[in-house]
CSV table of all heavy atoms in Angstrom, one decimal:
chain,number,residue,atom,x,y,z
A,1,MET,N,25.1,-7.7,106.7
A,1,MET,CA,24.0,-6.8,106.2
A,1,MET,C,24.6,-6.0,105.0
A,1,MET,O,23.9,-6.1,103.9
A,1,MET,CB,23.5,-5.9,107.2
A,1,MET,CG,22.2,-5.2,106.8
A,1,MET,SD,21.7,-3.9,107.9
A,1,MET,CE,20.8,-4.9,109.1
A,2,LEU,N,25.7,-5.4,105.1
A,2,LEU,CA,26.3,-4.6,104.0
A,2,LEU,C,26.7,-5.6,102.9
A,2,LEU,O,26.5,-5.4,101.7
A,2,LEU,CB,27.6,-3.9,104.4
A,2,LEU,CG,28.3,-3.1,103.3
A,2,LEU,CD1,27.4,-2.0,102.7
A,2,LEU,CD2,29.6,-2.4,103.9
A,3,GLY,N,27.2,-6.8,103.2
A,3,GLY,CA,27.6,-7.8,102.2
A,3,GLY,C,26.4,-8.3,101.5
A,3,GLY,O,26.5,-8.5,100.2
A,4,ASP,N,25.3,-8.5,102.1
A,4,ASP,CA,24.0,-8.9,101.4
A,4,ASP,C,23.6,-7.8,100.4
A,4,ASP,O,23.2,-8.1,99.3
A,4,ASP,CB,22.9,-9.2,102.4
A,4,ASP,CG,23.2,-10.3,103.3
A,4,ASP,OD1,24.0,-11.2,102.9
A,4,ASP,OD2,22.6,-10.4,104.4
A,5,PHE,N,23.6,-6.6,100.9
A,5,PHE,CA,23.2,-5.5,100.0
A,5,PHE,C,24.1,-5.4,98.8
A,5,PHE,O,23.6,-5.2,97.6
A,5,PHE,CB,23.2,-4.1,100.8
A,5,PHE,CG,22.9,-3.0,99.9
A,5,PHE,CD1,21.6,-2.7,99.5
A,5,PHE,CD2,24.0,-2.2,99.4
A,5,PHE,CE1,21.4,-1.6,98.7
A,5,PHE,CE2,23.7,-1.1,98.6
A,5,PHE,CZ,22.4,-0.8,98.2
A,6,THR,N,25.4,-5.4,98.9
A,6,THR,CA,26.3,-5.3,97.8
A,6,THR,C,26.2,-6.5,96.8
A,6,THR,O,26.2,-6.3,95.6
A,6,THR,CB,27.8,-5.1,98.2
A,6,THR,OG1,28.2,-6.2,99.0
A,6,THR,CG2,27.9,-3.8,99.0
A,7,ALA,N,25.9,-7.6,97.4
A,7,ALA,CA,25.7,-8.8,96.5
A,7,ALA,C,24.4,-8.7,95.7
A,7,ALA,O,24.4,-9.0,94.5
A,7,ALA,CB,25.8,-10.1,97.3
A,8,LYS,N,23.4,-8.3,96.4
A,8,LYS,CA,22.1,-8.1,95.8
A,8,LYS,C,22.0,-7.1,94.7
A,8,LYS,O,21.4,-7.2,93.7
A,8,LYS,CB,21.0,-7.8,96.9
A,8,LYS,CG,19.6,-7.7,96.4
A,8,LYS,CD,18.7,-7.3,97.5
A,8,LYS,CE,17.3,-7.0,97.0
A,8,LYS,NZ,16.4,-6.6,98.1
A,9,THR,N,22.8,-6.0,94.9
A,9,THR,CA,22.8,-4.9,94.0
A,9,THR,C,23.9,-5.0,92.9
A,9,THR,O,24.1,-4.1,92.1
A,9,THR,CB,22.9,-3.5,94.7
A,9,THR,OG1,24.0,-3.5,95.5
A,9,THR,CG2,21.6,-3.3,95.5
A,10,GLY,N,24.7,-6.0,93.0
A,10,GLY,CA,25.7,-6.3,92.0
A,10,GLY,C,26.9,-5.3,92.1
A,10,GLY,O,27.5,-4.8,91.1
A,11,MET,N,27.4,-5.1,93.4
A,11,MET,CA,28.5,-4.2,93.6
A,11,MET,C,29.7,-5.1,94.0
A,11,MET,O,29.9,-5.4,95.2
A,11,MET,CB,28.2,-3.2,94.7
A,11,MET,CG,27.1,-2.3,94.4
A,11,MET,SD,26.4,-1.4,95.8
A,11,MET,CE,27.8,-0.3,96.2
A,12,PRO,N,30.5,-5.6,93.1
A,12,PRO,CA,31.5,-6.6,93.4
A,12,PRO,C,32.8,-6.0,94.0
A,12,PRO,O,33.6,-6.7,94.5
A,12,PRO,CB,31.9,-7.2,92.0
A,12,PRO,CG,31.6,-6.1,91.0
A,12,PRO,CD,30.4,-5.3,91.6
A,13,TRP,N,32.9,-4.7,94.0
A,13,TRP,CA,34.1,-4.1,94.6
A,13,TRP,C,34.1,-4.1,96.1
A,13,TRP,O,33.0,-4.1,96.7
A,13,TRP,CB,34.4,-2.7,94.0
A,13,TRP,CG,33.2,-1.8,94.2
A,13,TRP,CD1,32.8,-1.0,95.2
A,13,TRP,CD2,32.1,-1.6,93.2
A,13,TRP,NE1,31.7,-0.4,95.0
A,13,TRP,CE2,31.2,-0.7,93.8
A,13,TRP,CE3,31.8,-2.1,91.9
A,13,TRP,CZ2,30.0,-0.3,93.1
A,13,TRP,CZ3,30.7,-1.7,91.3
A,13,TRP,CH2,29.8,-0.8,91.9
A,14,PRO,N,35.2,-4.0,96.7
A,14,PRO,CA,35.2,-4.0,98.2
A,14,PRO,C,34.5,-2.8,98.8
A,14,PRO,O,34.6,-1.7,98.3
A,14,PRO,CB,36.7,-3.9,98.6
A,14,PRO,CG,37.5,-4.3,97.3
A,14,PRO,CD,36.6,-4.0,96.2
A,15,GLN,N,33.8,-3.1,99.9
A,15,GLN,CA,33.1,-2.0,100.6
A,15,GLN,C,33.7,-1.9,102.0
A,15,GLN,O,34.1,-2.9,102.6
A,15,GLN,CB,31.6,-2.4,100.8
A,15,GLN,CG,30.9,-2.7,99.5
A,15,GLN,CD,30.8,-1.4,98.6
A,15,GLN,OE1,30.5,-0.4,99.1
A,15,GLN,NE2,31.0,-1.6,97.3
A,16,TYR,N,33.7,-0.7,102.5
A,16,TYR,CA,34.2,-0.4,103.9
A,16,TYR,C,33.3,0.6,104.6
A,16,TYR,O,33.0,1.6,104.0
A,16,TYR,CB,35.6,0.1,103.8
A,16,TYR,CG,36.2,0.5,105.1
A,16,TYR,CD1,36.8,-0.5,105.9
A,16,TYR,CD2,36.3,1.8,105.5
A,16,TYR,CE1,37.4,-0.2,107.1
A,16,TYR,CE2,36.8,2.1,106.8
A,16,TYR,CZ,37.4,1.1,107.5
A,16,TYR,OH,37.9,1.4,108.8
A,17,TYR,N,32.9,0.2,105.8
A,17,TYR,CA,32.1,1.2,106.6
A,17,TYR,C,32.4,0.9,108.0
A,17,TYR,O,32.3,-0.3,108.5
A,17,TYR,CB,30.6,1.0,106.3
A,17,TYR,CG,29.8,2.0,107.2
A,17,TYR,CD1,29.8,3.3,106.9
A,17,TYR,CD2,29.1,1.5,108.3
A,17,TYR,CE1,29.0,4.2,107.7
A,17,TYR,CE2,28.4,2.4,109.1
A,17,TYR,CZ,28.4,3.7,108.8
A,17,TYR,OH,27.7,4.6,109.5
A,18,ASP,N,32.8,1.9,108.8
A,18,ASP,CA,33.1,1.7,110.2
A,18,ASP,C,32.3,2.7,111.1
A,18,ASP,O,32.5,2.7,112.3
A,18,ASP,CB,34.6,1.9,110.5
A,18,ASP,CG,35.1,3.3,110.2
A,18,ASP,OD1,34.3,4.2,109.8
A,18,ASP,OD2,36.3,3.5,110.3
A,19,GLY,N,31.4,3.5,110.5
A,19,GLY,CA,30.5,4.4,111.2
A,19,GLY,C,31.2,5.7,111.5
A,19,GLY,O,30.6,6.6,112.1
A,20,LYS,N,32.4,5.9,111.1
A,20,LYS,CA,33.1,7.2,111.4
A,20,LYS,C,33.0,8.2,110.3
A,20,LYS,O,33.6,9.3,110.4
A,20,LYS,CB,34.6,6.9,111.6
A,20,LYS,CG,34.9,6.0,112.8
A,20,LYS,CD,36.4,5.8,112.9
A,20,LYS,CE,36.8,4.8,114.0
A,20,LYS,NZ,38.2,4.6,114.1
A,21,PHE,N,32.2,7.9,109.3
A,21,PHE,CA,32.0,8.8,108.2
A,21,PHE,C,33.3,9.3,107.6
A,21,PHE,O,34.2,8.5,107.3
A,21,PHE,CB,31.0,9.9,108.6
A,21,PHE,CG,29.7,9.4,109.1
A,21,PHE,CD1,29.5,9.3,110.4
A,21,PHE,CD2,28.8,8.9,108.2
A,21,PHE,CE1,28.3,8.7,110.9
A,21,PHE,CE2,27.6,8.4,108.7
A,21,PHE,CZ,27.3,8.3,110.0
A,22,TRP,N,33.5,10.6,107.4
A,22,TRP,CA,34.7,11.2,106.7
A,22,TRP,C,35.9,11.1,107.6
A,22,TRP,O,37.0,11.5,107.2
A,22,TRP,CB,34.4,12.6,106.2
A,22,TRP,CG,33.4,12.6,105.2
A,22,TRP,CD1,32.2,13.2,105.3
A,22,TRP,CD2,33.4,12.0,103.9
A,22,TRP,NE1,31.4,13.0,104.1
A,22,TRP,CE2,32.2,12.2,103.3
A,22,TRP,CE3,34.4,11.2,103.2
A,22,TRP,CZ2,31.9,11.8,102.0
A,22,TRP,CZ3,34.1,10.8,101.9
A,22,TRP,CH2,32.8,11.0,101.3
A,23,LYS,N,35.8,10.7,108.8
A,23,LYS,CA,36.9,10.6,109.7
A,23,LYS,C,37.4,9.2,109.9
A,23,LYS,O,38.2,8.9,110.9
A,23,LYS,CB,36.6,11.3,111.1
A,23,LYS,CG,36.1,12.7,111.0
A,23,LYS,CD,36.5,13.5,112.2
A,23,LYS,CE,36.0,14.9,112.1
A,23,LYS,NZ,36.6,15.7,111.1
A,24,ASN,N,37.0,8.3,109.0
A,24,ASN,CA,37.5,6.9,109.2
A,24,ASN,C,38.9,6.8,108.7
A,24,ASN,O,39.5,7.7,108.0
A,24,ASN,CB,36.6,5.9,108.5
A,24,ASN,CG,36.6,6.0,107.0
A,24,ASN,OD1,37.7,5.9,106.4
A,24,ASN,ND2,35.4,6.2,106.4
A,25,ASP,N,39.6,5.6,109.0
A,25,ASP,CA,41.0,5.4,108.6
A,25,ASP,C,41.3,5.6,107.2
A,25,ASP,O,42.3,6.2,106.8
A,25,ASP,CB,41.4,4.0,109.1
A,25,ASP,CG,41.3,3.9,110.6
A,25,ASP,OD1,41.3,4.9,111.3
A,25,ASP,OD2,41.2,2.7,111.1
A,26,ILE,N,40.4,5.0,106.3
A,26,ILE,CA,40.7,5.0,104.9
A,26,ILE,C,40.6,6.4,104.3
A,26,ILE,O,41.4,6.9,103.6
A,26,ILE,CB,39.8,4.0,104.1
A,26,ILE,CG1,40.3,2.6,104.5
A,26,ILE,CG2,39.9,4.2,102.6
A,26,ILE,CD1,39.4,1.5,103.9
A,27,SER,N,39.5,7.1,104.6
A,27,SER,CA,39.3,8.5,104.1
A,27,SER,C,40.3,9.4,104.5
A,27,SER,O,40.8,10.3,103.7
A,27,SER,CB,37.9,9.0,104.4
A,27,SER,OG,37.7,9.2,105.7
A,28,THR,N,40.8,9.4,105.8
A,28,THR,CA,41.8,10.3,106.2
A,28,THR,C,43.2,9.9,105.7
A,28,THR,O,44.0,10.8,105.3
A,28,THR,CB,41.9,10.3,107.8
A,28,THR,OG1,42.0,9.0,108.3
A,28,THR,CG2,40.6,11.0,108.4
A,29,ARG,N,43.4,8.6,105.6
A,29,ARG,CA,44.7,8.2,105.0
A,29,ARG,C,44.9,8.6,103.6
A,29,ARG,O,46.0,9.0,103.2
A,29,ARG,CB,44.8,6.7,105.1
A,29,ARG,CG,46.1,6.1,104.6
A,29,ARG,CD,46.2,4.6,104.9
A,29,ARG,NE,47.3,4.0,104.3
A,29,ARG,CZ,47.5,2.7,104.1
A,29,ARG,NH1,46.6,1.9,104.5
A,29,ARG,NH2,48.6,2.2,103.6
A,30,PHE,N,43.9,8.5,102.8
A,30,PHE,CA,44.0,8.8,101.3
A,30,PHE,C,43.3,10.1,100.9
A,30,PHE,O,43.3,10.4,99.7
A,30,PHE,CB,43.3,7.6,100.5
A,30,PHE,CG,44.1,6.3,100.7
A,30,PHE,CD1,43.6,5.3,101.4
A,30,PHE,CD2,45.3,6.2,100.1
A,30,PHE,CE1,44.2,4.1,101.6
A,30,PHE,CE2,46.0,5.0,100.3
A,30,PHE,CZ,45.5,3.9,101.0
A,31,GLY,N,42.9,10.9,101.9
A,31,GLY,CA,42.4,12.2,101.5
A,31,GLY,C,41.0,12.2,100.8
A,31,GLY,O,40.8,13.1,100.0
A,32,ILE,N,40.2,11.2,101.1
A,32,ILE,CA,38.9,11.1,100.4
A,32,ILE,C,37.9,12.1,101.1
A,32,ILE,O,37.7,12.0,102.3
A,32,ILE,CB,38.3,9.7,100.5
A,32,ILE,CG1,39.3,8.7,99.8
A,32,ILE,CG2,36.9,9.6,99.9
A,32,ILE,CD1,39.0,7.2,100.0
A,33,VAL,N,37.4,13.0,100.3
A,33,VAL,CA,36.4,14.0,100.8
A,33,VAL,C,35.1,13.9,100.1
A,33,VAL,O,34.2,14.7,100.4
A,33,VAL,CB,37.0,15.4,100.8
A,33,VAL,CG1,38.2,15.5,101.7
A,33,VAL,CG2,37.4,15.8,99.4
A,34,SER,N,35.0,13.0,99.1
A,34,SER,CA,33.7,12.9,98.4
A,34,SER,C,33.6,11.5,97.8
A,34,SER,O,34.6,10.8,97.7
A,34,SER,CB,33.6,14.0,97.3
A,34,SER,OG,34.6,13.8,96.3
A,35,ILE,N,32.4,11.2,97.4
A,35,ILE,CA,32.1,10.0,96.7
A,35,ILE,C,31.5,10.3,95.4
A,35,ILE,O,30.6,11.1,95.3
A,35,ILE,CB,31.1,9.1,97.5
A,35,ILE,CG1,31.7,8.8,98.9
A,35,ILE,CG2,30.7,7.8,96.8
A,35,ILE,CD1,30.8,8.1,99.8
A,36,PRO,N,32.0,9.7,94.3
A,36,PRO,CA,33.0,8.7,94.2
A,36,PRO,C,34.4,9.3,94.3
A,36,PRO,O,34.6,10.4,93.9
A,36,PRO,CB,32.7,8.0,92.9
A,36,PRO,CG,32.2,9.1,92.0
A,36,PRO,CD,31.4,10.0,92.9
A,37,ALA,N,35.3,8.5,94.9
A,37,ALA,CA,36.7,8.8,94.9
A,37,ALA,C,37.3,8.0,93.8
A,37,ALA,O,36.9,6.8,93.6
A,37,ALA,CB,37.3,8.6,96.2
A,38,MET,N,38.3,8.5,93.1
A,38,MET,CA,39.0,7.8,92.0
A,38,MET,C,40.4,7.5,92.4
A,38,MET,O,41.1,8.4,92.9
A,38,MET,CB,38.9,8.6,90.8
A,38,MET,CG,39.1,7.9,89.5
A,38,MET,SD,40.8,7.4,89.1
A,38,MET,CE,41.7,8.9,88.9
A,39,PHE,N,40.8,6.2,92.2
A,39,PHE,CA,42.2,5.8,92.4
A,39,PHE,C,42.7,5.1,91.1
A,39,PHE,O,42.0,4.2,90.7
A,39,PHE,CB,42.3,4.8,93.5
A,39,PHE,CG,41.8,5.4,94.8
A,39,PHE,CD1,40.6,5.2,95.3
A,39,PHE,CD2,42.7,6.2,95.6
A,39,PHE,CE1,40.1,5.8,96.5
A,39,PHE,CE2,42.3,6.7,96.8
A,39,PHE,CZ,41.0,6.5,97.3
A,40,LEU,N,43.8,5.5,90.6
A,40,LEU,CA,44.4,4.8,89.5
A,40,LEU,C,45.5,3.9,90.1
A,40,LEU,O,46.4,4.5,90.8
A,40,LEU,CB,45.0,5.8,88.5
A,40,LEU,CG,45.7,5.1,87.2
A,40,LEU,CD1,44.7,4.3,86.5
A,40,LEU,CD2,46.2,6.2,86.3
A,41,ILE,N,45.4,2.6,89.9
A,41,ILE,CA,46.3,1.7,90.5
A,41,ILE,C,47.1,1.0,89.5
A,41,ILE,O,46.6,0.6,88.4
A,41,ILE,CB,45.5,0.7,91.4
A,41,ILE,CG1,44.7,1.4,92.4
A,41,ILE,CG2,46.4,-0.4,92.0
A,41,ILE,CD1,43.7,0.6,93.2
A,42,ASP,N,48.4,0.9,89.7
A,42,ASP,CA,49.3,0.3,88.7
A,42,ASP,C,49.3,-1.3,88.8
A,42,ASP,O,48.5,-1.8,89.7
A,42,ASP,CB,50.7,0.8,88.8
A,42,ASP,CG,51.5,0.4,90.1
A,42,ASP,OD1,51.0,-0.5,90.8
A,42,ASP,OD2,52.6,0.9,90.3
A,43,GLN,N,50.1,-1.9,88.0
A,43,GLN,CA,50.1,-3.4,87.9
A,43,GLN,C,50.6,-4.0,89.2
A,43,GLN,O,50.3,-5.2,89.4
A,43,GLN,CB,51.0,-3.8,86.7
A,43,GLN,CG,50.4,-3.4,85.4
A,43,GLN,CD,51.0,-2.1,84.9
A,43,GLN,OE1,51.3,-1.2,85.7
A,43,GLN,NE2,51.1,-1.9,83.6
A,44,GLU,N,51.3,-3.3,90.0
A,44,GLU,CA,51.8,-3.8,91.3
A,44,GLU,C,50.8,-3.5,92.5
A,44,GLU,O,51.1,-3.9,93.6
A,44,GLU,CB,53.1,-3.2,91.6
A,44,GLU,CG,54.2,-3.7,90.6
A,44,GLU,CD,55.5,-3.0,90.8
A,44,GLU,OE1,55.7,-2.3,91.8
A,44,GLU,OE2,56.4,-3.2,89.9
A,45,GLY,N,49.7,-2.9,92.2
A,45,GLY,CA,48.7,-2.6,93.2
A,45,GLY,C,49.0,-1.3,94.0
A,45,GLY,O,48.4,-1.0,95.0
């Protein structure tokens, strides 16, 4: 369902949703507290 929505709306970047809202693994690991969150990634990822 999420994959269909992102394809239909032209959102090619990875999406993640686990239902835990701001307490999910990614937001707590990287300190995300708002959307959009910005990450500058180097050539090595």
Side-chain angles (χ1 to χ4, degrees):
M1 193 188 276
L2 178 60
D4 294 337
F5 174 78
T6 58
K8 180 179 173 185
T9 56
M11 298 168 66
W13 53 87
Q15 303 294 317
Y16 177 80
Y17 179 74
D18 64 3
K20 296 179 185 177
F21 303 98
W22 296 113
K23 300 212 183 295
N24 71 53
D25 298 338
I26 292 176
S27 65
T28 55
R29 180 176 175 193
F30 295 108
I32 299 170
V33 294
S34 66
I35 298 173
M38 198 288 294
F39 300 94
L40 181 59
I41 301 173
D42 69 10
Q43 295 91 331
E44 296 176 5

